[in-house]
Amino acid sequence: MRRIKLTVAYDGTAYKGWQLQPNGVTIEEMLNKALSDLLKEPVCVIGASRTDSGVHARGNVAVFDTESWIPGDKFCYAVNRGLPEDIRVVESEEVPLDWHPRKQNCVKTYEYRILNCKIEIPTRRLYAHFCYYPLNVEKMNEAAKYLIGEHDFISFCAANHQAEETVRTIYGAEVKKNDEDIVTIRLCGSGFLYNMVRRIAAVLVKAGKGQIDKAGAEKLINAADNKVAKDVMPACGLYLKSVKY
């Protein structure tokens, strides 16, 4: 038996998230099917991050076990032939049998992208949240700095979360705007709670609009009360950029 690690990129628009669901097609389901068809054996992948419905990824990580002797670095080419064009395995390698994507120390990087201009661009509607109100990136960065470090992030966690522990460490938080009117919120951390990035993005957007100041943002971050940051940004702007071990 061998264990193969996959790095997976996908456009999440048409899927009900990563994890198997009874009410729609998921990324996990498509990978299981493509690998099972390829290897002629039942395959169940284990993912590093269970992204939500409509969320995209550039570098999610998954593993699966197989009896196949296909070289580890060749699985990406073989399995992509059986995947739809909105899912791609961009890298593959063999890892030890006890290597688990959710039980290793890692740094996860998420990005939330906002199209910040007067008129929405139709070709970007599936890949960035549209906001016509001018955002002050400097004020967003001032608010974001309070996220850095170890905090109880229950303020940014959905009420129906299943996490036993809500303390997380954020290593980096920054906001940038490029020449194409895309404001990108980038967060790097040890892990993220359910809806955490999209709720943080909502608070930073309020800071960018001048609806809350630095003190207000700091108060929300330190509140440790999931009733204070209820706004959740749409899924289309969220990307899991990478999982680094």
Side-chain angles (χ1 to χ4, degrees):
M1 185 67 70
R2 304 161 64 216
R3 178 159 288 190
I4 305 299
K5 173 188 170 190
L6 308 175
T7 302
V8 189
Y10 47 88
D11 175 345
T13 304
Y15 299 97
K16 294 292 185 180
W18 172 274
Q19 192 172 10
L20 291 174
Q21 300 289 340
N23 62 339
V25 180
T26 67
I27 305 298
E28 184 178 11
E29 177 183 343
M30 298 305 294
L31 286 170
N32 287 347
K33 183 180 186 305
L35 287 164
S36 297
D37 290 347
L38 170 69
L39 301 172
K40 309 305 180 188
E41 61 185 24
V43 173
C44 294
V45 299
I46 301 171
S49 187
R50 299 168 182 171
T51 52
D52 295 340
S53 178
V55 174
H56 314 296
R58 295 286 300 275
N60 204 348
V61 171
V63 296
F64 68 94
D65 296 335
T66 180
E67 298 284 357
S68 170
W69 286 103
I70 296 174
D73 63 342
K74 302 302 182 185
F75 272 96
C76 54
Y77 303 105
V79 72
N80 280 338
R81 290 197 284 266
L83 287 169
E85 62 184 4
D86 51 5
I87 304 174
R88 282 292 176 267
V89 177
V90 296
E91 189 176 23
S92 60
E93 63 178 310
E94 187 170 353
V95 293
L97 276 171
D98 62 353
W99 196 93
H100 193 291
R102 295 201 295 271
K103 296 180 180 179
Q104 312 291 323
N105 291 328
C106 69
V107 176
K108 293 182 180 180
T109 299
Y110 276 92
E111 290 185 347
Y112 195 89
R113 300 177 188 174
I114 302 163
L115 176 61
N116 191 210
C117 55
K118 293 182 179 179
I119 304 294
E120 186 173 11
I121 307 301
T123 55
R124 296 184 181 178
R125 73 190 189 283
L126 301 178
Y127 309 108
H129 170 63
F130 172 63
C131 176
Y132 68 88
Y133 193 97
L135 296 176
N136 186 317
V137 172
E138 183 178 348
K139 288 184 178 179
M140 294 173 76
N141 271 307
E142 288 176 353
K145 71 180 182 181
Y146 296 111
L147 296 162
I148 297 173
E150 184 179 276
H151 303 277
D152 184 347
F153 281 101
I154 194 170
S155 294
F156 299 96
C157 186
N160 60 340
H161 75 90
Q162 298 179 344
E164 295 181 4
E165 174 60 65
T166 55
V167 173
R168 297 291 186 272
T169 301
I170 298 297
Y171 304 118
E174 64 175 351
V175 185
K176 292 184 177 180
K177 185 173 184 177
N178 66 18
D179 294 335
E180 297 181 337
D181 295 322
I182 295 290
V183 173
T184 300
I185 298 167
R186 180 176 297 160
L187 302 173
C188 302
S190 60
F192 294 86
L193 301 165
Y194 180 49
N195 279 172
M196 177 174 161
V197 177
R198 289 159 63 190
R199 287 171 184 258
I200 286 175
V203 170
L204 295 183
V205 166
K206 285 184 177 180
K209 291 179 177 179
Q211 294 174 346
I212 59 172
D213 57 14
K214 291 187 294 183
E218 184 180 15
K219 184 178 179 180
L220 283 174
I221 292 164
N222 294 324
D225 180 354
N226 65 4
K227 297 181 178 65
V228 301
K230 293 183 178 180
D231 294 339
V232 183
M233 298 292 279
C236 63
L238 184 59
Y239 295 73
L240 173 56
K241 186 179 181 185
S242 64
V243 183
K244 300 293 186 184
Y245 295 92

